[in-house]
Amino acid sequence: MNEIIGYILISIGILFNLFGCIGMVRFPDVYNRLQAATKCVTLGTILLLVGVAVISADGPTGAKAIVCAVFILITSPTAAHAIAKGAYASGVPLWEKSIVDKYAQEKKDETAKTQGA
């Protein structure tokens, strides 16, 4: 029974990774691509590793898979945030059909607040 659940988790993880890779190729700008990479690929990789842990049950392979999953859960969103912030700071433009730039609005509000005080 554990093997069936493990293989189901691995299959779902492969699908999430596939969709994330397709999103990285199809999305128009670096910020949307980072979203696909962070959300889909992180979840897909974690599902793969949990599936491996379920299949290997008590062995050291399962423990290593869980440790790797926790590491990816912590580092992947942090790295994507740092890349997006660096891209924005270096002037990488948003997609021309983007509707809202919240970061620019926050900077504008901050500037207005400091000048008004």
Side-chain angles (χ1 to χ4, degrees), residues 13-114:
I14 289 171
L15 284 174
F16 270 98
N17 281 335
L18 177 67
F19 294 145
C21 291
I22 291 170
M24 288 174 58
V25 173
R26 299 275 318 217
F27 284 168
D29 66 352
V30 70
Y31 307 106
N32 289 324
R33 290 178 183 161
L34 276 171
Q35 179 185 5
T38 303
K39 291 185 180 189
C40 290
V41 175
T42 300
L43 181 61
T45 305
I46 288 172
L47 286 172
L48 279 167
L49 290 168
V50 169
V52 168
V54 168
I55 290 173
S56 63
D58 298 334
T61 304
K64 290 176 189 175
I66 295 299
V67 168
C68 289
V70 169
F71 180 75
I72 288 171
L73 183 65
I74 294 169
T75 59
S76 182
T78 306
H81 176 77
I83 292 169
K85 187 118 176 172
Y88 193 87
S90 66
V92 175
L94 293 169
W95 181 43
E96 65 270 358
K97 293 184 181 177
S98 293
I99 298 170
V100 177
D101 186 358
K102 292 269 188 185
Y103 190 64
Q105 288 176 354
E106 288 176 12
K107 286 176 72 175
K108 186 175 144 183
D109 292 342
E110 237 177 64
T111 306
K113 193 184 289 185
T114 57

